[in-house]
Amino acid sequence: MAENQKPAAAREKEGVKKPLSTVANRETFINHIKSIKTTRWVRFGVVSAIFFLWVVLMGNPWLALLWLLLLDIYITNVIPWGWWKSKKGPTRKVMAWVDAIVYALVLIYIVFAFIGQQYEIPSSSLEKSLLVGDRLWVNKTIYGARVPQTPIHFPLAQHTLPILNVKSYVEKPQLEYHRMPGFRKIRRGDIVVFNYPQGDTVTLKIQNPDYYQICHELRGQGVEDPLKYIKDNPQMFGEVVWRPVDRRENYVKRTIGLPGDRLRISGDTIYINGKALPEPENVQYNYIIPVSRTIPDEKWSEIGVRGEDHGVEPVRNDYAGFSFYNVPLTAAMKRQVESWPEVIGPLQRESESGLYELGDTFPLGAPYGWTRTDMGEFWIPERGVTLHLTPGNYPIYERAIRTYEGNDLAMRDGKIYINGRQTEYYTFKMDYYWMMGDNRDRSADSRFWGFVPEDHIVGSPVFIILSLDKERSLFNGKIRWNRIFANPNPDGKKMAGE
């Protein structure tokens, strides 16, 4: 047998050396390791320590495998990460831009996911505490940063990429809910940003009212199968899609009820564990304002009422025999309006006027007869606490048990079944909160869609970055300079009892 035809094992026994290239590569690798400067080893050690701390906080040991990438980037260089740096011409320039953009996106992803993010106030539900056009910096570390449940997503879009109008995320993998350690728990009075609890199912052409409200209204109109009706009318409702928890719309409200509280509302007064809760200083209610003529826009603007809140002209009520405005006012604003010569009678609360329907409240379809101004007492779920379930309280906790905590829940012949087993008790896995807006009569809040689960909590605003009045021009007060870097929640400590 010729020498080069012998088996490899036989050649090794006879002392045949390994190919020169293998020896050269090994020597090159060893020389490369020896040539690494001490400062680079130190940087690698610091980055590794931070990385493994992050893995611990994330609560996912599989992430530790990513350390091999750090090892290669800092030490081994098996993967030619900087291959383009030796190139000349357009390739080098293009790759330099790609490299910078990738690093920027990774940095933005980390900051937005684990530290904080900017949010804009789009509606008046928290006026006058927060104004339409306020841009807030929301601290995600205060209650503990929530690990992204949808980790593969574009960091600058919540759920839809603009222009392309496609999903900004990949649905799989979906990680289990986990929150890093925070500085403190949510307190009563905190203004909190959270994902909209009823935003799991969405009709793309009509997102307000939400899918569940649409189904409730269709049942009221005699539609037996609302989902089939919606799918049979795509020209009206659009596609029906499901969104993961962290890809649902962001809402901002004030924390009113905490886990374990007993809450009721009577005549707009909120009672927590039997005691009346102090209202925020700038709480607003809608008032019917009877007038003899149109009130100029300038007068409304001077007291802080936006154009879309007061309208162009007063509403004429032929039955009552007068014209009126329906406007949200704080107590101080109400006193000013009452002195205006255009006002011809006492102001009356919208909810007491009989001119408007108050609409259905949480829980939708329940036989309680509740309204947004009067709700019977109920308990807010608390993690680890067991509730005695009955047909009477079943509608209140149905969605939390089934949708938020992922159980198969049903009630048949007055008996309750959870995951196929008949029971009268359920122990909650999460804490829940009751959130409301300060603009009480123009806020879609917990009175309409119920509890906010802890896994929906995003963070709390710490200051206002910028505030723009959309109804003013650039040179006529568009920028609200007095609100920049202001505290967005001056009433928080008062409501928390501090």
Side-chain angles (χ1 to χ4, degrees):
M1 182 181 291
E3 179 68 26
N4 60 356
Q5 294 178 325
K6 290 182 179 180
R11 284 188 286 138
E12 283 204 22
K13 282 185 179 180
E14 295 175 7
V16 177
K17 294 183 179 180
K18 293 182 178 180
L20 183 61
S21 60
T22 303
V23 176
N25 288 340
R26 182 182 297 172
E27 290 179 354
T28 300
F29 180 76
I30 293 173
N31 290 334
H32 166 72
I33 298 298
K34 289 180 178 179
S35 68
I36 296 174
K37 295 180 180 180
T38 303
T39 54
R40 189 168 183 85
W41 281 105
V42 171
R43 290 202 305 273
F44 174 62
V46 171
V47 170
S48 294
I50 295 173
F51 171 78
F52 284 115
L53 175 62
W54 175 74
V55 171
V56 172
L57 294 175
M58 289 283 285
N60 188 346
W62 287 103
L63 292 173
L65 294 175
L66 295 175
W67 178 78
L68 295 175
L69 289 177
L70 290 178
L71 176 67
D72 191 57
I73 291 170
Y74 278 88
I75 305 299
T76 58
N77 296 137
V78 173
I79 301 173
W81 301 98
W83 62 269
W84 53 271
K85 293 181 181 179
S86 61
K87 302 291 183 179
K88 295 182 180 180
T91 301
R92 181 184 176 94
K93 292 181 180 180
V94 170
M95 288 307 301
W97 276 102
V98 171
D99 186 66
I101 291 171
V102 169
Y103 270 102
L105 287 176
V106 170
L107 180 61
I108 291 171
Y109 182 98
I110 293 171
V111 170
F112 282 11
F114 301 105
I115 299 175
Q117 192 171 349
Q118 178 254 324
Y119 292 91
E120 182 179 356
I121 299 297
S123 68
S124 62
S125 69
L126 268 169
E127 289 198 357
K128 294 298 185 202
S129 300
L130 295 176
L131 305 182
V132 174
D134 282 350
R135 287 170 168 79
L136 312 172
W137 180 256
V138 174
N139 181 1
K140 295 187 176 182
T141 68
I142 188 168
Y143 309 129
R146 181 184 59 183
V147 174
Q149 291 151 283
T150 312
I152 305 176
H153 67 269
F154 192 80
L156 299 176
Q158 177 62 14
H159 51 68
T160 305
L161 284 175
I163 301 175
L164 298 178
N165 200 32
V166 296
K167 289 181 180 179
S168 63
Y169 59 92
V170 178
E171 290 185 5
K172 294 182 179 180
Q174 278 289 307
L175 303 182
E176 291 186 4
Y177 166 62
H178 176 73
R179 192 176 292 277
M180 295 181 177
F183 292 98
R184 64 174 177 85
K185 293 184 176 181
I186 297 176
R187 296 187 295 227
R188 196 181 328 278
D190 280 0
I191 292 178
V192 174
V193 174
F194 55 91
N195 298 114
Y196 181 44
Q198 290 194 169
D200 55 303
T201 306
V202 178
T203 57
L204 292 182
K205 286 190 177 181
I206 302 179
Q207 299 190 32
N208 187 18
D210 64 54
Y211 167 79
Y212 296 97
Q213 181 68 40
I214 292 171
C215 289
H216 175 70
E217 292 176 359
L218 288 173
R219 290 190 190 97
Q221 297 168 14
V223 177
E224 293 184 2
D225 189 343
L227 178 57
K228 182 179 183 301
Y229 182 86
I230 290 171
K231 288 185 174 181
D232 288 344
N233 292 274
Q235 72 285 353
M236 181 187 305
F237 300 100
E239 183 185 359
V240 179
V241 300
W242 174 83
R243 285 176 180 161
V245 171
D246 56 344
R247 298 298 101 202
R248 296 168 192 172
E249 292 287 356
N250 292 304
Y251 271 40
V252 58
K253 306 289 179 187
R254 188 183 296 279
T255 307
I256 298 298
L258 299 174
D261 282 346
R262 299 200 68 86
L263 182 147
R264 71 181 175 92
I265 303 175
S266 179
D268 278 317
T269 300
I270 300 167
Y271 293 86
I272 301 292
N273 301 322
K275 295 182 179 180
L277 184 69
E279 290 185 332
E281 182 179 350
N282 289 322
V283 70
Q284 292 191 137
Y285 292 102
N286 273 34
Y287 289 91
I288 302 300
I289 306 170
V291 295
S292 58
R293 59 186 182 274
T294 301
I295 297 175
D297 292 347
E298 294 76 17
K299 296 187 75 168
W300 291 119
S301 181
E302 285 173 5
I303 66 169
V305 177
R306 298 182 305 119
E308 68 177 51
D309 283 339
H310 65 72
V312 178
E313 296 287 340
V315 177
R316 177 67 186 176
N317 188 305
D318 293 326
Y319 177 78
F322 61 84
S323 298
F324 67 91
Y325 287 93
N326 182 13
V327 177
L329 301 171
T330 64
M333 294 161 65
K334 177 176 177 287
R335 288 192 292 270
Q336 287 182 273
V337 170
E338 287 173 329
S339 67
W340 289 353
E342 297 92 344
V343 177
I344 58 173
L347 275 59
Q348 189 178 16
R349 283 288 311 280
E350 175 198 77
S351 58
E352 299 169 352
S353 68
L355 295 173
Y356 294 91
E357 291 288 339
L358 296 185
D360 293 321
T361 58
F362 168 81
L364 289 176
Y368 301 142
W370 293 353
T371 67
R372 69 175 185 228
T373 61
D374 292 278
M375 302 184 76
E377 188 175 70
F378 54 88
W379 175 76
I380 301 175
E382 182 178 9
R383 187 195 309 124
V385 177
T386 300
L387 170 72
H388 181 206
L389 273 171
T390 68
N393 64 23
Y394 179 88
I396 298 174
Y397 304 104
E398 177 184 7
R399 182 170 173 81
I401 296 171
R402 178 188 293 121
T403 304
Y404 303 145
E405 305 211 347
N407 295 284
D408 179 12
L409 176 68
M411 185 168 66
R412 297 187 293 270
D413 300 324
K415 296 179 180 180
I416 297 169
Y417 296 83
I418 299 178
N419 300 322
R421 186 174 66 88
Q422 182 186 342
T423 182
E424 293 182 357
Y425 298 93
Y426 180 77
T427 302
F428 285 92
K429 303 172 187 175
M430 291 190 290
D431 283 332
Y432 291 78
Y433 301 87
W434 189 263
M435 305 288 189
M436 291 175 61
D438 293 352
N439 194 0
R440 291 288 164 80
D441 294 333
R442 294 197 178 180
S443 173
D445 52 34
S446 285
R447 292 170 295 174
F448 298 93
W449 34 256
F451 308 118
V452 177
E454 66 173 75
D455 68 344
H456 284 56
I457 301 296
V458 174
S460 182
V462 290
F463 63 86
I464 298 171
I465 301 172
L466 181 65
S467 184
L468 301 177
D469 189 336
K470 297 181 179 180
E471 296 184 350
R472 291 178 177 270
S473 65
L474 182 61
F475 300 104
N476 185 32
K478 186 175 187 65
I479 302 176
R480 305 184 186 107
W481 296 101
N482 63 319
R483 294 188 63 79
I484 296 177
F485 298 119
N487 176 9
N489 187 21
D491 290 326
K493 291 186 176 180
K494 174 185 173 184
M495 293 191 68
E498 298 183 4

